Amino acid sequence: MIKSRICELLNIEYPILQGGMAWVSTASLAAAVSNAGGLGIIGSAAMTAEILREEIKKTKSLTTRPFGVNLMLMSQQIKGLVDIVLEEGVPVVTTGAGNPGIYMETFHKKGIKVIPVIPSVAFAKRLERGGADALIAEGTESGGHVGELTTMALVPQVVDAVKVPVIAAGGIGDGRGIAAAFALGAEGVQIGTRFIVANECTVHENYKEAVIKAGDRDTVVTGRKTGHPVRIIENRLAKEFMRLEAEGASMEELEKLGAGKLRAAAVDGDMTYGSVMCGQIAGLVKKRQSSKEIIQELMSEAEAVLEKLQKMVV
Ligand code: TUI
């Protein structure tokens, strides 16, 4: 049994958070992960306020356990999404792609735990001072919007810099990754890519198949130059993006190319011109399972690894 402050803080059985992925993490996946003892998280980045309200209600109808909502702070709808989270009484909020400082007090007044994703030590310290209940240190191995540092370099430096519990994310897909994250001082993990192929995940079948087929070098980061770095599976869209970037295309041109492409991949199953966001760890995601099977396997592997490592100390 692996327990940490994250289990107590979030009132969950296992220290595993499911990444709140846009167009991917709907009520069905979030509730299944929460029912399996982790923290399921609804990804609200592409939702309108009303759709988020429906997804929260659906999650509540499927589980009595704690769950979270991820707020992508660059979302055009952010104010409306925040209002829905406050009205519906969601237990946990994770944030990405920005500074949630201005919402912290309002969330706390409602008893909502706030766990921002941070890509650097400086940002971690700032948000700890701002009242974050825990932090997700997310390495550049992750899918979607990424920072610069690797999980291996970022997590121990953040752990040394703050007192609140740190959750590691980026490049974690099995029990070895969980054990490694704990060795670095993390007290929990956030896993996205492995849950894309969960039975309860409602993303298009082609997307799941692309993750299962992906090898270690099949993702690329587009947009590092434009300030919007995004890790996706390399396809025609990614190549076109990289060509335009190399030619010094304007932000408008790049934004035009990217518009609606995540939906095209996740909803329509377009694996050629869609934006197939996933992490570098896709190479070891090889089978479809229920969320419960994934969590059970992750935890028993992590325990076995930690026991094996302990025996190496003589
Ligand atoms: O947010 C994510 N990953 C995401 S959001 C997303 S939605 C999207 N849709 C279409 C195009 C692009 C994105 C897909 N993937 N991860 C959390 C994360 N946050 N990673 C990095 C950061 C981050 C970066 C800078 C957090 C804070 C930050 O601070 C900058 C500042 O100083 O405000």
Side-chain angles (χ1 to χ4, degrees), residues 187-209:
E187 295 185 61
V189 294
Q190 176 171 279
I191 293 179
T193 301
R194 176 103 184 243
F195 284 112
I196 295 175
V197 305
N199 298 340
E200 298 85 357
C201 178
T202 50
V203 78
H204 197 285
E205 273 303 308
N206 294 355
Y207 203 124
K208 294 188 179 189
E209 209 45 45

Side-chain angles (χ1 to χ4, degrees), residues 32 49 57 105 108 153 167 185 187 195 228-229 242 275 289 308:
K57 283 189 189 303
E105 207 182 314
H108 281 157
I167 295 155
E187 295 185 61
F195 284 112
H228 293 288
M242 289 188 287
S275 175
Q289 292 167 296
K308 191 173 123 192

Side-chain angles (χ1 to χ4, degrees), residues 20-23 44-46 70-75 95-100 116-120 123 126-127 136 138-139 142-148 190 227-232 241 258-263 275 277:
M21 300 166 280
W23 289 108
S44 74
N70 174 261
L71 295 170
M72 208 276 273
L73 297 165
M74 289 189 321
S75 163
T95 67
N99 187 344
V117 169
I118 50 94
S120 66
F123 212 58
R126 201 186 313 163
L127 288 178
I136 301 171
E138 188 186 282
S142 303
H145 185 90
V146 290
E148 287 287 340
Q190 176 171 279
H228 293 288
V230 176
R231 182 177 299 285
I232 57 177
F241 235 106
K261 295 300 197 295
L262 182 54
R263 183 186 195 285
S275 175
M277 295 184 186

Side-chain angles (χ1 to χ4, degrees), residues 48-196:
T48 60
E50 275 320 302
I51 290 177
L52 177 59
R53 193 197 295 282
E54 283 166 29
E55 289 296 308
I56 292 171
K57 283 189 189 303
K58 191 169 168 199
T59 306
K60 285 179 181 167
S61 77
L62 295 169
T63 186
T64 54
R65 299 203 180 177
F67 65 95
V69 168
N70 174 261
L71 295 170
M72 208 276 273
L73 297 165
M74 289 189 321
S75 163
Q76 312 235 314
Q77 328 257 346
I78 191 66
K79 293 232 152 53
L81 297 170
V82 167
D83 287 344
I84 297 295
V85 164
L86 293 167
E87 279 172 39
E88 291 294 328
V90 170
V92 184
V93 161
T94 62
T95 67
N99 187 344
I102 57 166
Y103 307 114
M104 201 77 85
E105 207 182 314
T106 332
F107 284 140
H108 281 157
K109 273 193 187 142
K110 287 266 183 187
I112 300 170
K113 301 279 189 296
V114 185
I115 312 186
V117 169
I118 50 94
S120 66
V121 168
F123 212 58
K125 285 181 174 171
R126 201 186 313 163
L127 288 178
E128 181 183 50
R129 278 198 303 274
D133 296 284
L135 295 165
I136 301 171
E138 188 186 282
T140 196
E141 298 93 322
S142 303
H145 185 90
V146 290
E148 287 287 340
L149 293 174
T150 60
T151 303
M152 189 80 159
L154 178 64
V155 172
Q157 295 189 71
V158 171
V159 165
D160 285 351
V162 299
K163 291 194 174 64
V164 293
V166 175
I167 295 155
I172 302 170
D174 67 8
R176 290 171 298 181
I178 296 176
F182 274 68
L184 296 174
E187 295 185 61
V189 294
Q190 176 171 279
I191 293 179
T193 301
R194 176 103 184 243
F195 284 112
I196 295 175

